[in-house]
């Protein structure tokens, strides 16, 4: 009767006589064991390589209503507000009725911002928030009015990303903090793509 030894994907049988072949038996069985280990090791390395190349890059995406909420932007809160509605609907009786997005400093794309952190690509999309009309909608090319609440900083809103094309100037609100709201001009209404300090 023979004895069977299992190897990956094969079964080797040999006569019982070899099982009791004497001193040479150990060498034969060691050779079988070494081949099994080598084959199993090669299989494990190949499987690991396939998994490494097949693993996609990790991605994380977040919606924010203020660019100061972006992890790699350092500021406390945005003072330029872009509203979903025109000014007559955005603020009524002293209350905000329209959702808005707040920005501080230069924002080269109202779509959002993205970058890799290690192997993870992290993306922040700018949306209208703070309840009201348009809440949760993406704000690029979707704003109708602007309020500059900065006491010292002037701003411009641009038609193109990267501060290009037609722009509109919004002066600082001055010492009284009235945050005057202004409609975007027709060329920029629902065509807002970037903004920066004026």
């Amino acid at each position: 009767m023979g004895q069977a030894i299992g190897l990956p994907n094969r079964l080797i049988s040999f006569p019982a006589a070899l099982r009791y072949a004497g001193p040479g038996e150990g060498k034969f069985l060691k050779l079988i064991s070494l081949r099994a280990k080598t084959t199993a090791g090669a299989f494990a390395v190949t499987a690991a390589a396939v998994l490494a190349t097949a693993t996609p890059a990790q991605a994380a995406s977040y919606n924010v209503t203020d660019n100061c909420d972006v992890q790699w932007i350092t500021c406390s809160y945005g003072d330029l507000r872009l509203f979903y509605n025109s000014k007559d609907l955005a603020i009524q009786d002293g209350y905000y009725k329209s959702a808005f997005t707040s920005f501080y400093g230069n924002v080269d794309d109202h779509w959002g911002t993205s970058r890799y952190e290690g192997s993870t690509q992290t993306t922040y999309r700018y949306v209208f928030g703070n309840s009201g009309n348009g809440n949760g909608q993406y704000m690029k090319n979707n704003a109708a009015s602007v309020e500059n609440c900065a006491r010292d900083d002037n701003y411009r809103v641009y038609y193109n990303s990267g501060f290009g094309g037609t722009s509109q100037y919004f002066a600082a609100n001055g010492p009284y903090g009235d945050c005057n709201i202004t409609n975007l001009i027709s060329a920029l209404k629902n065509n807002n793509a970037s903004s920066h300090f004026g």
Side-chain angles (χ1 to χ4, degrees), residues 137-149:
Q137 293 194 33
Y138 293 119
M139 64 83 57
K140 184 175 182 178
N141 297 329
N142 210 11
S145 59
V146 174
E147 183 180 58
N148 183 3
C149 289

Side-chain angles (χ1 to χ4, degrees), residues 84-150:
Y84 176 78
N85 290 121
S86 299
K87 69 175 186 177
D88 56 332
L89 297 175
I91 300 176
Q92 299 177 19
D93 300 321
Y95 294 95
Y96 291 118
K97 299 294 185 180
S98 174
F100 60 89
T101 305
S102 300
F103 290 135
Y104 178 80
N106 300 337
V107 179
D108 66 353
D109 195 340
H110 286 175
W111 177 90
T113 181
S114 181
R115 79 176 187 184
Y116 276 94
E117 298 183 303
S119 62
T120 301
Q121 183 182 29
T122 303
T123 300
Y124 288 88
R125 294 293 309 274
Y126 298 132
V127 298
F128 292 114
N130 306 292
S131 72
N133 299 329
N135 192 63
Q137 293 194 33
Y138 293 119
M139 64 83 57
K140 184 175 182 178
N141 297 329
N142 210 11
S145 59
V146 174
E147 183 180 58
N148 183 3
C149 289

Side-chain angles (χ1 to χ4, degrees), residues 152-167:
D152 302 308
D153 300 317
N154 305 314
Y155 280 93
R156 282 189 177 276
V157 173
Y158 289 83
Y159 181 85
N160 293 326
S161 299
F163 320 121
T166 301
S167 69

Side-chain angles (χ1 to χ4, degrees), residues 1-4 12-21 28:
M1 177 179 290
Q3 181 171 348
I12 296 178
S13 297
F14 52 93
L18 290 178
R19 175 68 183 83
Y20 304 101
F28 178 76

